[in-house]
Structure formats: structure tokens, C-alpha cells
Amino acid sequence: MTSPAQVPSTPLLPISPRPVAVIDIGATSIRMAIAEIHADGDVRTLDTLVQPADLGREVFAVRRLSRKSIERAATVLKQYQRVLREYGITPGPDLRIVATTAVREAMNRVAFTDRIFIVTGLNIESIDEAEVSRITYMGIAPQLRGEPELADGRSVVVEIGGGNTEVLVIRSGNVMHSQSYRLGSLRLLQQIESSRVSPSRRRSFIESHVRRTLDNIVADVSEDPTNRIVAFGGDIRFAAHRLLDDWDGTSLTPLPTEKLADFTNEILQLDEDTIVKRFGASFIEAETLGPALLAYTMLAQAFQQPFLYVCDTNLRDGLLHDMAVGGSWTDEFRNQIIRSALGLGRRFDFDESHARNVAELSRKLFLQLAREHQLDYRQEVLLYVAALLHEIGLMINVRSNHKHALYVIRNSEIFGLSRSELLQVGLVARYYRRAYPQQSHEGYGSLGREDRVTVAKLAAILRLAIALDDTRSGRIQEIECVREAKQLVIQVPGVEDVSLEQVAMRQNAGLFRDVFGMPVLLRAGR
């Protein structure tokens, strides 16, 4: 008999790379990227496909997608399906299809996504500006970390797309500002057509519209001697390929503003047919090139930058990096959301010390009550943000500050949070006091059942955390949650007298009892 020591070990087989794909339905084209994700999280792009689809022009003009455009998109996606099958990629977690500004602004976007599903069986996700910013950050952050001058500096990351201009301000890896502006090359063209601008006035018309948006961008971003413009998008890459002989097409590279201005002047003097013939552009590229490059040039000049960095990163790169981490919010990304929330709170002069104490106590309650609430990591982040901002409405009105908190949060920009998530955060903050959630309340009644239950659970936990810091002294830092005889006992180690907090807990624990079916007892630690 062979002894155990003599049994040969079975060699570990290498884990095969996982094939994935992302499809981006934009204002001017439908693009697909196919990649493989390795076991260490590394992403390697295998193939890219681009098909023109002029969805933005009609949406920006009449707010609807025509039957012809819908069928064109369905045809392109059917073609992409054949390629996906060759790579062994089927609908599911290995395929993500997103639609941006054009589809999002179409009044018949549901009819569009339903028709695509009927024809192809594919689900399209219409993502808002916050999700675009999050995905952009996922794609651009590795590039910035790899460039010494940008890694510790202040990067103003800009993409001028067909419908919107996306701006991210990143310093040392931290997002300082994110905003979407209604300035896009295709939107500008639509405005030119609707206003019947003569060819001689075309440039001045574009400059006038761009300048109005630039004034807002400059005011939002603020002057800083360390500002560096990082530009990405098809139009700026098109220019860089023709102006920079030594660019490898992938790395960050500086493009002199003066060179870009000269090239922009040349493009604006040519008609679309000449641009197509001279530079090998598609017709849609030829249309959008002039307005987009003029906007990039004016942006660099507004920030007094002698050059701007051109980046090959795009939305699909961010989507692929997001898939590599399983769509989860990393600790780094969680910190970005919280920094953005703190920035909002400071603008409303909130009690930051109390807010931070309540947020930390909320997090500890959330972790220790995981068996009861059955929520995931994302909901913990939403609770934390709501805890930070629950008193943000005090600056507006003390009596109804909880309702004003909902309004402020719902109508603000917090980096990384979608409109739906902002509504949930606002509602959790709204229910930190007074009435319990009710179907008739603004915002709450519009939620689906799952989100309504989530809001109720998080608001119940938030009320407990607020009671624990009722003295606003921060003296309660640690807690231990114990289930005893069908009740929740919160023990406070190291604090002998919690009589004030016990009074607050009796007032605040009713929602928790109703949601989780457990009364709450606060007990001093031994």
C-alpha cells in the first residue's frame, strides 16, 4: 500500500482568463469591446468594434428615437451577437450593455429597450451621469497613477461627447468634483440647424455656446496652479493621432494647445466631405470634429494650459475594470463617495463632529446587525452617507429640517451615487426624526418594494445611532449588540452612565421595533 507521503500531489491547473464584453450605445455610435479578465484582475482587450448610429441628432431635436433608428440599433446589436457567440460570451454577468445621453433623454427610451430585447434578447441599462462619472473614474484612475506629473497633481479630466461634457477633478487619486454639463458636439450641431445659422456665423455661434458652459466649469473647478487638463474622447484622439507622430495611441501624452488650435482652425474651414477624404474620418466624425475640438481648445485656453494630456481611456475601459472587480464598490471608491458627501455637508455648515460620530455608530450597528437586515455593502455606504448628511437641512429651516435634507440630497451631486441612490439616501435622512415612512410621502411612494424596505431598515438603524450620540460628545465609540429574549441589547463598554442616551433610545427605537420586530435596550458597559 502506498503511504500518504508517497501519493503524488495533483498539480494546480491555471485558471483560464474569463472572456467578457461591454457595449456602449452612445449619441453617434454603438461600440463594443471584448476582453479577457485574468485571475489577478488584469484586463486585456481582445477586440473592438464600432458601428455608426446617429441616435443623438434626433433625440436632441425632438426628444424621441425614430422607428428607423431603433431598427438600426437592433441590427447592429444582432451583428455584435454573432461576434459574441464566436468568443463564447452569452447574456449574463459577462456582458454589460449601457446606453448614455441619447437614449436616456429619449421620451420613448422604454420602447427602445423593449424593442431591442424582443429582437435580440439583450437587456440595455440606461445609466445616468453619476454612473458615467463612476465608470470614468474606474477607467482613468490607473492611467493617472502611472503618470508621475499627474499622480500627485490636480487633474481636470474632461470628455466632450456628443450630448454632454463630463468633468472630473482628481487630486492624488481623490475625486474633488464631478459634474455633467449639457454641452456636446452633436447637441451644438442640432442647435445650429434649428437656429438656421449661416456658415459665416457658425464658429461664433459655437464659441458663444461653449463659453457659457466654460464659465460654469471654471467657476466649479476653480483656479489652481497645479491644474492639468486630461482630455479623452474620440474627437481629441483623432486630433492627437494626426498631430503627434510619436504617440503610441495608448499612453497619456501632452498635446500642445497651440497645435490643437491650429488644427481646429483648419478643420472648421473645411466641409464634411473634404474632412472625410483628407483625414479618413467617418461622416459622423467629420460633423462633430470641429465643434468638439473648438471646445477642447477653448477649455485649455480658459485654464491657461500650454498643453493638455490626451488619454486613450474610454467608457468601455471603465466598464471592463468595473467587471474585473465584480461591480462591487471597493474601499477606495467608498472613500471617494464619503469625501464627496463631506464636501456637500461642509457647504451647508453641518456639525461635522456629530455627523461623523453618528456615521461611525451607524456603520458598527450595520455590521453587527447583518443577520437581521440582510443588506449588502452598498447599502452600508448609503447608510453612512445619510448619517453624515441627516442634519444638512438645518441651515434652511430648523422645524422641517428633515424634509429639507431630502430635498438638498436628492438635488445634489455626490460622486458615485446615481439618482436612485441619492433618493434613497435622502429618504433615510428624511426619516431620521418625526414620522415613519409612509406610502403617501414624497419620493418614498415611488420606490419599488425592495427599495422601500431598504430605506425603512436603514432609517431604523440611523435612529439608533443618533440616540447613541444624543449628548453630541462622541463619548460612545464602541458598542456590542446582543440578542436577549427576543430583544436587542446594545451594550456600551467603558461607559458607566448612559441615562441620557437611554431616554433618547426609548424615543428613537420605535421604528426599529416596527421594522425588525425587536425592542431595543441600551445598557451601560461593565
mmCIF file of all heavy atoms in Angstrom, residues 150-189:
data_model
loop_
_atom_site.group_PDB
_atom_site.id
_atom_site.type_symbol
_atom_site.label_atom_id
_atom_site.label_comp_id
_atom_site.label_asym_id
_atom_site.label_seq_id
_atom_site.Cartn_x
_atom_site.Cartn_y
_atom_site.Cartn_z
ATOM 1 N N LEU A 150 1.028 63.601 -12.938
ATOM 2 C CA LEU A 150 -0.396 63.646 -12.645
ATOM 3 C C LEU A 150 -0.769 62.870 -11.388
ATOM 4 O O LEU A 150 -1.834 63.107 -10.807
ATOM 5 C CB LEU A 150 -1.189 63.094 -13.833
ATOM 6 C CG LEU A 150 -1.026 63.838 -15.163
ATOM 7 C CD1 LEU A 150 -1.780 63.121 -16.268
ATOM 8 C CD2 LEU A 150 -1.494 65.268 -15.046
ATOM 9 N N ALA A 151 0.077 61.944 -10.970
ATOM 10 C CA ALA A 151 -0.268 61.083 -9.843
ATOM 11 C C ALA A 151 -0.547 61.885 -8.579
ATOM 12 O O ALA A 151 -1.472 61.569 -7.819
ATOM 13 C CB ALA A 151 0.857 60.075 -9.596
ATOM 14 N N ASP A 152 0.246 62.932 -8.322
ATOM 15 C CA ASP A 152 0.080 63.727 -7.107
ATOM 16 C C ASP A 152 -0.431 65.134 -7.391
ATOM 17 O O ASP A 152 -0.529 65.952 -6.483
ATOM 18 C CB ASP A 152 1.415 63.816 -6.356
ATOM 19 C CG ASP A 152 1.889 62.449 -5.892
ATOM 20 O OD1 ASP A 152 1.049 61.656 -5.457
ATOM 21 O OD2 ASP A 152 3.100 62.193 -5.980
ATOM 22 N N GLY A 153 -0.773 65.412 -8.653
ATOM 23 C CA GLY A 153 -1.251 66.742 -9.012
ATOM 24 C C GLY A 153 -2.768 66.807 -9.046
ATOM 25 O O GLY A 153 -3.472 65.946 -8.529
ATOM 26 N N ARG A 154 -3.271 67.871 -9.645
ATOM 27 C CA ARG A 154 -4.719 68.099 -9.742
ATOM 28 C C ARG A 154 -5.127 67.975 -11.210
ATOM 29 O O ARG A 154 -4.836 68.858 -12.016
ATOM 30 C CB ARG A 154 -5.060 69.490 -9.194
ATOM 31 C CG ARG A 154 -6.540 69.747 -8.923
ATOM 32 C CD ARG A 154 -6.674 71.057 -8.165
ATOM 33 N NE ARG A 154 -8.014 71.278 -7.658
ATOM 34 C CZ ARG A 154 -8.939 72.029 -8.282
ATOM 35 N NH1 ARG A 154 -8.659 72.578 -9.448
ATOM 36 N NH2 ARG A 154 -10.120 72.200 -7.744
ATOM 37 N N SER A 155 -5.784 66.890 -11.544
ATOM 38 C CA SER A 155 -6.153 66.613 -12.930
ATOM 39 C C SER A 155 -7.609 66.989 -13.170
ATOM 40 O O SER A 155 -8.499 66.555 -12.429
ATOM 41 C CB SER A 155 -5.950 65.132 -13.255
ATOM 42 O OG SER A 155 -4.612 64.740 -13.041
ATOM 43 N N VAL A 156 -7.832 67.797 -14.204
ATOM 44 C CA VAL A 156 -9.189 68.127 -14.639
ATOM 45 C C VAL A 156 -9.478 67.228 -15.839
ATOM 46 O O VAL A 156 -9.038 67.500 -16.957
ATOM 47 C CB VAL A 156 -9.319 69.615 -15.011
ATOM 48 C CG1 VAL A 156 -10.758 69.942 -15.396
ATOM 49 C CG2 VAL A 156 -8.857 70.496 -13.856
ATOM 50 N N VAL A 157 -10.177 66.138 -15.589
ATOM 51 C CA VAL A 157 -10.438 65.125 -16.616
ATOM 52 C C VAL A 157 -11.716 65.501 -17.355
ATOM 53 O O VAL A 157 -12.770 65.693 -16.746
ATOM 54 C CB VAL A 157 -10.580 63.734 -15.968
ATOM 55 C CG1 VAL A 157 -10.834 62.675 -17.032
ATOM 56 C CG2 VAL A 157 -9.326 63.396 -15.156
ATOM 57 N N VAL A 158 -11.625 65.619 -18.680
ATOM 58 C CA VAL A 158 -12.739 66.129 -19.471
ATOM 59 C C VAL A 158 -12.987 65.245 -20.683
ATOM 60 O O VAL A 158 -12.047 64.870 -21.394
ATOM 61 C CB VAL A 158 -12.456 67.568 -19.960
ATOM 62 C CG1 VAL A 158 -13.643 68.112 -20.743
ATOM 63 C CG2 VAL A 158 -12.131 68.485 -18.798
ATOM 64 N N GLU A 159 -14.263 64.936 -20.912
ATOM 65 C CA GLU A 159 -14.675 64.323 -22.175
ATOM 66 C C GLU A 159 -15.823 65.145 -22.746
ATOM 67 O O GLU A 159 -16.863 65.310 -22.112
ATOM 68 C CB GLU A 159 -15.132 62.880 -22.016
ATOM 69 C CG GLU A 159 -15.558 62.285 -23.362
ATOM 70 C CD GLU A 159 -16.182 60.910 -23.257
ATOM 71 O OE1 GLU A 159 -16.664 60.554 -22.174
ATOM 72 O OE2 GLU A 159 -16.204 60.199 -24.278
ATOM 73 N N ILE A 160 -15.638 65.643 -23.961
ATOM 74 C CA ILE A 160 -16.701 66.355 -24.659
ATOM 75 C C ILE A 160 -17.337 65.361 -25.622
ATOM 76 O O ILE A 160 -16.768 65.032 -26.670
ATOM 77 C CB ILE A 160 -16.158 67.596 -25.394
ATOM 78 C CG1 ILE A 160 -15.566 68.560 -24.364
ATOM 79 C CG2 ILE A 160 -17.251 68.269 -26.212
ATOM 80 C CD1 ILE A 160 -14.786 69.699 -24.954
ATOM 81 N N GLY A 161 -18.474 64.832 -25.232
ATOM 82 C CA GLY A 161 -19.146 63.820 -26.030
ATOM 83 C C GLY A 161 -20.142 64.432 -26.991
ATOM 84 O O GLY A 161 -20.174 65.641 -27.220
ATOM 85 N N GLY A 162 -20.992 63.583 -27.551
ATOM 86 C CA GLY A 162 -21.995 64.078 -28.478
ATOM 87 C C GLY A 162 -23.080 64.873 -27.788
ATOM 88 O O GLY A 162 -23.588 65.851 -28.337
ATOM 89 N N GLY A 163 -23.455 64.462 -26.558
ATOM 90 C CA GLY A 163 -24.540 65.135 -25.861
ATOM 91 C C GLY A 163 -24.102 65.963 -24.681
ATOM 92 O O GLY A 163 -24.604 67.070 -24.465
ATOM 93 N N ASN A 164 -23.172 65.444 -23.880
ATOM 94 C CA ASN A 164 -22.759 66.119 -22.644
ATOM 95 C C ASN A 164 -21.248 66.226 -22.559
ATOM 96 O O ASN A 164 -20.511 65.509 -23.245
ATOM 97 C CB ASN A 164 -23.264 65.351 -21.419
ATOM 98 C CG ASN A 164 -24.759 65.523 -21.199
ATOM 99 O OD1 ASN A 164 -25.432 66.240 -21.936
ATOM 100 N ND2 ASN A 164 -25.271 64.859 -20.186
ATOM 101 N N THR A 165 -20.808 67.110 -21.670
ATOM 102 C CA THR A 165 -19.390 67.203 -21.303
ATOM 103 C C THR A 165 -19.260 66.713 -19.868
ATOM 104 O O THR A 165 -19.930 67.235 -18.971
ATOM 105 C CB THR A 165 -18.878 68.644 -21.422
ATOM 106 O OG1 THR A 165 -18.863 69.018 -22.801
ATOM 107 C CG2 THR A 165 -17.473 68.774 -20.855
ATOM 108 N N GLU A 166 -18.427 65.698 -19.657
ATOM 109 C CA GLU A 166 -18.208 65.137 -18.331
ATOM 110 C C GLU A 166 -16.903 65.689 -17.762
ATOM 111 O O GLU A 166 -15.878 65.679 -18.450
ATOM 112 C CB GLU A 166 -18.135 63.609 -18.387
ATOM 113 C CG GLU A 166 -19.299 62.934 -19.113
ATOM 114 C CD GLU A 166 -20.626 63.119 -18.407
ATOM 115 O OE1 GLU A 166 -20.616 63.381 -17.180
ATOM 116 O OE2 GLU A 166 -21.672 63.022 -19.066
ATOM 117 N N VAL A 167 -16.943 66.164 -16.533
ATOM 118 C CA VAL A 167 -15.760 66.738 -15.881
ATOM 119 C C VAL A 167 -15.543 66.060 -14.531
ATOM 120 O O VAL A 167 -16.467 65.971 -13.721
ATOM 121 C CB VAL A 167 -15.900 68.261 -15.674
ATOM 122 C CG1 VAL A 167 -14.689 68.813 -14.929
ATOM 123 C CG2 VAL A 167 -16.071 68.976 -17.010
ATOM 124 N N LEU A 168 -14.332 65.570 -14.328
ATOM 125 C CA LEU A 168 -13.904 65.016 -13.036
ATOM 126 C C LEU A 168 -12.649 65.762 -12.603
ATOM 127 O O LEU A 168 -11.723 65.923 -13.406
ATOM 128 C CB LEU A 168 -13.561 63.530 -13.163
ATOM 129 C CG LEU A 168 -14.651 62.475 -13.058
ATOM 130 C CD1 LEU A 168 -14.036 61.096 -13.311
ATOM 131 C CD2 LEU A 168 -15.299 62.496 -11.699
ATOM 132 N N VAL A 169 -12.604 66.222 -11.379
ATOM 133 C CA VAL A 169 -11.387 66.821 -10.836
ATOM 134 C C VAL A 169 -10.811 65.852 -9.816
ATOM 135 O O VAL A 169 -11.469 65.506 -8.828
ATOM 136 C CB VAL A 169 -11.680 68.182 -10.173
ATOM 137 C CG1 VAL A 169 -10.383 68.792 -9.637
ATOM 138 C CG2 VAL A 169 -12.339 69.137 -11.162
ATOM 139 N N ILE A 170 -9.595 65.383 -10.081
ATOM 140 C CA ILE A 170 -8.963 64.360 -9.250
ATOM 141 C C ILE A 170 -7.620 64.874 -8.753
ATOM 142 O O ILE A 170 -6.784 65.307 -9.542
ATOM 143 C CB ILE A 170 -8.769 63.045 -10.045
ATOM 144 C CG1 ILE A 170 -10.107 62.554 -10.601
ATOM 145 C CG2 ILE A 170 -8.117 61.976 -9.185
ATOM 146 C CD1 ILE A 170 -9.994 61.357 -11.520
ATOM 147 N N ARG A 171 -7.419 64.833 -7.454
ATOM 148 C CA ARG A 171 -6.131 65.203 -6.865
ATOM 149 C C ARG A 171 -5.604 64.028 -6.051
ATOM 150 O O ARG A 171 -6.275 63.536 -5.146
ATOM 151 C CB ARG A 171 -6.254 66.421 -5.950
ATOM 152 C CG ARG A 171 -4.898 66.877 -5.367
ATOM 153 C CD ARG A 171 -5.068 67.869 -4.233
ATOM 154 N NE ARG A 171 -5.497 69.171 -4.684
ATOM 155 C CZ ARG A 171 -4.674 70.108 -5.155
ATOM 156 N NH1 ARG A 171 -3.381 69.876 -5.232
ATOM 157 N NH2 ARG A 171 -5.141 71.279 -5.545
ATOM 158 N N SER A 172 -4.398 63.586 -6.386
ATOM 159 C CA SER A 172 -3.755 62.466 -5.672
ATOM 160 C C SER A 172 -4.695 61.266 -5.552
ATOM 161 O O SER A 172 -4.764 60.622 -4.515
ATOM 162 C CB SER A 172 -3.297 62.926 -4.282
ATOM 163 O OG SER A 172 -2.418 64.016 -4.382
ATOM 164 N N GLY A 173 -5.433 60.995 -6.615
ATOM 165 C CA GLY A 173 -6.328 59.842 -6.622
ATOM 166 C C GLY A 173 -7.685 60.086 -6.019
ATOM 167 O O GLY A 173 -8.556 59.204 -6.066
ATOM 168 N N ASN A 174 -7.918 61.265 -5.430
ATOM 169 C CA ASN A 174 -9.192 61.574 -4.785
ATOM 170 C C ASN A 174 -10.042 62.473 -5.676
ATOM 171 O O ASN A 174 -9.554 63.460 -6.223
ATOM 172 C CB ASN A 174 -8.955 62.277 -3.443
ATOM 173 C CG ASN A 174 -8.203 61.401 -2.463
ATOM 174 O OD1 ASN A 174 -8.446 60.201 -2.375
ATOM 175 N ND2 ASN A 174 -7.267 61.992 -1.737
ATOM 176 N N VAL A 175 -11.312 62.134 -5.794
ATOM 177 C CA VAL A 175 -12.233 62.936 -6.600
ATOM 178 C C VAL A 175 -12.652 64.166 -5.807
ATOM 179 O O VAL A 175 -13.281 64.054 -4.749
ATOM 180 C CB VAL A 175 -13.469 62.110 -7.011
ATOM 181 C CG1 VAL A 175 -14.454 62.979 -7.790
ATOM 182 C CG2 VAL A 175 -13.065 60.907 -7.848
ATOM 183 N N MET A 176 -12.306 65.337 -6.323
ATOM 184 C CA MET A 176 -12.652 66.593 -5.666
ATOM 185 C C MET A 176 -13.966 67.165 -6.184
ATOM 186 O O MET A 176 -14.668 67.885 -5.482
ATOM 187 C CB MET A 176 -11.538 67.635 -5.888
ATOM 188 C CG MET A 176 -10.120 67.126 -5.660
ATOM 189 S SD MET A 176 -9.860 66.540 -3.976
ATOM 190 C CE MET A 176 -9.982 68.079 -3.077
ATOM 191 N N HIS A 177 -14.296 66.844 -7.445
ATOM 192 C CA HIS A 177 -15.502 67.407 -8.058
ATOM 193 C C HIS A 177 -15.886 66.529 -9.246
ATOM 194 O O HIS A 177 -15.028 66.011 -9.957
ATOM 195 C CB HIS A 177 -15.225 68.843 -8.530
ATOM 196 C CG HIS A 177 -16.337 69.458 -9.316
ATOM 197 N ND1 HIS A 177 -17.495 69.922 -8.742
ATOM 198 C CD2 HIS A 177 -16.476 69.675 -10.658
ATOM 199 C CE1 HIS A 177 -18.294 70.405 -9.676
ATOM 200 N NE2 HIS A 177 -17.695 70.273 -10.852
ATOM 201 N N SER A 178 -17.172 66.359 -9.455
ATOM 202 C CA SER A 178 -17.665 65.676 -10.655
ATOM 203 C C SER A 178 -18.947 66.346 -11.095
ATOM 204 O O SER A 178 -19.791 66.690 -10.267
ATOM 205 C CB SER A 178 -17.901 64.186 -10.381
ATOM 206 O OG SER A 178 -18.983 63.997 -9.492
ATOM 207 N N GLN A 179 -19.077 66.555 -12.388
ATOM 208 C CA GLN A 179 -20.247 67.271 -12.890
ATOM 209 C C GLN A 179 -20.440 66.943 -14.370
ATOM 210 O O GLN A 179 -19.465 66.738 -15.104
ATOM 211 C CB GLN A 179 -20.065 68.783 -12.727
ATOM 212 C CG GLN A 179 -21.258 69.624 -13.127
ATOM 213 C CD GLN A 179 -22.402 69.514 -12.147
ATOM 214 O OE1 GLN A 179 -22.187 69.562 -10.946
ATOM 215 N NE2 GLN A 179 -23.617 69.355 -12.648
ATOM 216 N N SER A 180 -21.689 66.892 -14.783
ATOM 217 C CA SER A 180 -22.029 66.715 -16.187
ATOM 218 C C SER A 180 -22.674 67.996 -16.684
ATOM 219 O O SER A 180 -23.550 68.562 -16.016
ATOM 220 C CB SER A 180 -22.989 65.529 -16.356
ATOM 221 O OG SER A 180 -23.303 65.335 -17.713
ATOM 222 N N TYR A 181 -22.227 68.483 -17.842
ATOM 223 C CA TYR A 181 -22.735 69.737 -18.402
ATOM 224 C C TYR A 181 -23.380 69.457 -19.762
ATOM 225 O O TYR A 181 -22.889 68.631 -20.540
ATOM 226 C CB TYR A 181 -21.597 70.747 -18.576
ATOM 227 C CG TYR A 181 -20.872 71.081 -17.295
ATOM 228 C CD1 TYR A 181 -19.796 70.304 -16.860
ATOM 229 C CD2 TYR A 181 -21.251 72.169 -16.505
ATOM 230 C CE1 TYR A 181 -19.122 70.603 -15.685
ATOM 231 C CE2 TYR A 181 -20.587 72.474 -15.331
ATOM 232 C CZ TYR A 181 -19.526 71.680 -14.926
ATOM 233 O OH TYR A 181 -18.859 71.978 -13.757
ATOM 234 N N ARG A 182 -24.466 70.174 -20.057
ATOM 235 C CA ARG A 182 -25.194 69.961 -21.305
ATOM 236 C C ARG A 182 -24.492 70.684 -22.456
ATOM 237 O O ARG A 182 -25.023 71.629 -23.048
ATOM 238 C CB ARG A 182 -26.636 70.420 -21.165
ATOM 239 C CG ARG A 182 -27.465 69.477 -20.296
ATOM 240 C CD ARG A 182 -28.862 70.034 -20.069
ATOM 241 N NE ARG A 182 -29.626 70.128 -21.298
ATOM 242 C CZ ARG A 182 -30.300 69.136 -21.852
ATOM 243 N NH1 ARG A 182 -30.286 67.935 -21.291
ATOM 244 N NH2 ARG A 182 -31.002 69.309 -22.958
ATOM 245 N N LEU A 183 -23.295 70.227 -22.734
ATOM 246 C CA LEU A 183 -22.518 70.741 -23.858
ATOM 247 C C LEU A 183 -21.955 69.540 -24.603
ATOM 248 O O LEU A 183 -21.175 68.769 -24.045
ATOM 249 C CB LEU A 183 -21.370 71.640 -23.365
ATOM 250 C CG LEU A 183 -20.364 72.075 -24.442
ATOM 251 C CD1 LEU A 183 -21.008 73.047 -25.416
ATOM 252 C CD2 LEU A 183 -19.124 72.700 -23.809
ATOM 253 N N GLY A 184 -22.356 69.378 -25.854
ATOM 254 C CA GLY A 184 -21.875 68.264 -26.650
ATOM 255 C C GLY A 184 -21.797 68.659 -28.111
ATOM 256 O O GLY A 184 -22.515 69.562 -28.563
ATOM 257 N N SER A 185 -20.941 67.998 -28.856
ATOM 258 C CA SER A 185 -20.739 68.361 -30.262
ATOM 259 C C SER A 185 -22.002 68.159 -31.087
ATOM 260 O O SER A 185 -22.373 69.010 -31.905
ATOM 261 C CB SER A 185 -19.591 67.526 -30.841
ATOM 262 O OG SER A 185 -19.832 66.136 -30.639
ATOM 263 N N LEU A 186 -22.694 67.057 -30.865
ATOM 264 C CA LEU A 186 -23.915 66.796 -31.632
ATOM 265 C C LEU A 186 -25.044 67.722 -31.181
ATOM 266 O O LEU A 186 -25.859 68.176 -31.997
ATOM 267 C CB LEU A 186 -24.329 65.331 -31.453
ATOM 268 C CG LEU A 186 -25.106 64.687 -32.602
ATOM 269 C CD1 LEU A 186 -24.338 64.789 -33.901
ATOM 270 C CD2 LEU A 186 -25.406 63.232 -32.282
ATOM 271 N N ARG A 187 -25.085 68.026 -29.900
ATOM 272 C CA ARG A 187 -26.094 68.960 -29.399
ATOM 273 C C ARG A 187 -25.861 70.358 -29.999
ATOM 274 O O ARG A 187 -26.817 71.066 -30.328
ATOM 275 C CB ARG A 187 -26.036 69.019 -27.864
ATOM 276 C CG ARG A 187 -27.348 69.481 -27.228
ATOM 277 C CD ARG A 187 -27.198 69.651 -25.731
ATOM 278 N NE ARG A 187 -26.985 68.428 -24.991
ATOM 279 C CZ ARG A 187 -27.953 67.629 -24.560
ATOM 280 N NH1 ARG A 187 -29.217 67.910 -24.832
ATOM 281 N NH2 ARG A 187 -27.664 66.545 -23.862
ATOM 282 N N LEU A 188 -24.593 70.752 -30.132
ATOM 283 C CA LEU A 188 -24.280 72.031 -30.757
ATOM 284 C C LEU A 188 -24.724 72.060 -32.217
ATOM 285 O O LEU A 188 -25.284 73.058 -32.697
ATOM 286 C CB LEU A 188 -22.777 72.304 -30.673
ATOM 287 C CG LEU A 188 -22.239 72.764 -29.317
ATOM 288 C CD1 LEU A 188 -20.710 72.734 -29.322
ATOM 289 C CD2 LEU A 188 -22.728 74.179 -29.001
ATOM 290 N N LEU A 189 -24.480 70.951 -32.938
ATOM 291 C CA LEU A 189 -24.899 70.887 -34.337
ATOM 292 C C LEU A 189 -26.407 71.012 -34.472
ATOM 293 O O LEU A 189 -26.920 71.689 -35.376
ATOM 294 C CB LEU A 189 -24.429 69.567 -34.967
ATOM 295 C CG LEU A 189 -22.927 69.434 -35.221
ATOM 296 C CD1 LEU A 189 -22.603 68.033 -35.725
ATOM 297 C CD2 LEU A 189 -22.460 70.470 -36.230
#
